[in-house]
Amino acid sequence: MPELPEVEALVGYLDGRMRGLTVARVQLASYAALKTVDPSLDSLVGEPVRGVSRHGKFIDIAIGDAHLVVHLARAGWLRWSDAVSSAVIKPGRSPIALRVAFSDESGFDLTEAGSKKSLSISVVRGPRDVPGVARLGPNPLDPAFTRADFGRALAGRRTQIKGLLRDQSVFAGIGNAYSDEILHAAHLSPFAIAATLPEATVDELFAALRSTLERAIAEASGRPPAELKDAKRARLAVHGRTGEACPVCGDTVREVRFADSSLQYCPTCQTGGKVLADRVLSRLLK
């Protein structure tokens, strides 16, 4: 799933290429992906792109007086082309959900792999008309978001820190991969309870959050969309690396599996050498 750093890089790339172009045509191939009916997709044709921005993991393309807001979900992606195909997309026959072509013949396809379809496309008058955007918490990289704000977000929450970092109503843009990476950098168990963390640990976690995301954005910035996924995988220290050696201490990266997801961590770096039980209600093994 694309998270804050990849979406930020993708938005920067698209803004540099799309701003000022006029929409020439749109083709919708996945009717389930379109979550709105007014304004219509067709109303975007003939309108100029005013800019591209990000809200958490949502991509916001301002077109004329409307906004095309996209959430790529788990298996969605955006494929840019300097010469987009003019072929008609057959619904159900292609991973392409939406194609947008511009006046200079460039354009993009929104795609989604797999059978579980979660990609969402909305055409709205303002981005907060999308319920997911309206529910978002603060951008954790906003300069106005301080250590004190971070501490208040954790205070009183009897919630495992891994889940809290992923909660989009608390911190916008962090997902499964970067929550693993942040916790590894902070030397913190994913099952630590947010409300019980000492102030010094909160300091370390806040610093790790900022440095992990800022470094990932710097490494992703300027890359074309086709390179972002592989570049993300290459820079991850523990996420998706079960059975490999931790790059910090050399211990074996372990995994905890859940019904529809998993997390990865280093026992030496994060849990005092103890291995977390691989079940939903995991506890440290004695």
Side-chain angles (χ1 to χ4, degrees):
M1 177 184 292
E3 298 178 32
L4 187 156
E6 293 76 47
V7 177
E8 181 76 14
L10 185 57
V11 160
Y13 182 92
L14 295 174
D15 189 64
R17 282 154 180 76
M18 291 166 50
R19 185 185 288 265
L21 297 180
T22 299
V23 176
R25 68 181 188 278
V26 294
Q27 296 181 61
L28 179 67
S30 174
Y31 297 97
L34 184 63
K35 307 303 181 184
T36 57
V37 295
D38 181 33
S40 68
L41 267 173
D42 289 341
S43 70
L44 303 179
V45 175
E47 298 293 335
V49 176
R50 296 186 287 110
V52 186
S53 58
R54 176 183 67 82
H55 312 283
K57 302 176 194 177
F58 290 84
I59 299 168
D60 176 5
I61 306 172
I63 303 174
D65 293 329
H67 295 255
L68 177 63
V69 180
V70 175
H71 192 287
L72 295 170
R74 179 169 294 185
W77 195 240
L78 185 149
R79 297 177 182 173
W80 175 264
S81 175
D82 290 331
V84 72
S85 173
S86 59
V88 176
I89 308 165
K90 295 182 179 180
R93 301 287 186 88
S94 166
I96 299 171
L98 177 71
R99 173 170 290 158
V100 177
F102 298 107
S103 50
D104 66 348
E105 299 184 358
S106 68
F108 64 84
D109 291 333
L110 290 175
T111 67
E112 187 169 26
S115 58
K116 187 176 181 179
K117 303 299 184 182
S118 303
L119 176 77
S120 72
I121 302 165
S122 301
V123 182
V124 290
R125 292 177 175 81
R128 289 185 63 82
D129 291 340
V130 178
V133 174
R135 289 194 297 265
L136 288 175
N139 174 6
L141 291 184
D142 188 331
F145 184 74
T146 66
R147 161 60 178 84
D149 295 325
F150 184 68
R152 283 190 290 271
L154 271 55
R157 293 184 183 264
R158 305 291 303 178
T159 306
Q160 292 174 351
I161 190 63
K162 163 77 175 180
L164 191 63
L165 288 175
R166 293 183 61 189
D167 188 334
Q168 298 303 294
S169 68
V170 181
F171 307 112
I174 302 172
N176 198 29
Y178 286 105
S179 57
D180 281 351
E181 296 298 297
I182 291 165
L183 292 170
H184 179 254
H187 312 291
L188 188 59
S189 169
F191 291 161
I193 301 301
T196 66
L197 297 179
E199 287 300 307
T201 302
V202 176
D203 289 342
E204 188 172 5
L205 180 58
F206 182 65
L209 180 151
R210 281 284 177 86
S211 63
T212 299
L213 296 179
E214 287 171 351
R215 182 170 61 251
I217 288 173
E219 293 173 355
S221 182
R223 292 182 183 271
E227 296 180 8
L228 286 174
K229 289 183 179 180
D230 287 341
K232 174 184 178 180
R233 283 191 287 265
R235 65 174 168 266
L236 297 176
V238 291
H239 184 79
R241 298 195 178 278
T242 304
E244 299 182 23
C246 170
V248 174
C249 72
D251 194 0
T252 302
V253 174
R254 305 299 184 103
E255 178 179 68
V256 176
R257 289 169 293 177
F258 301 97
D260 59 355
S261 67
S262 64
L263 65 83
Q264 287 80 41
Y265 69 101
C266 169
T268 294
C269 291
Q270 296 176 251
T271 60
K274 296 179 180 180
V275 176
L276 298 173
D278 189 9
R279 58 182 184 271
V280 174
L281 298 177
S282 297
R283 293 295 185 267
L284 290 176
L285 295 177
K286 302 299 183 183

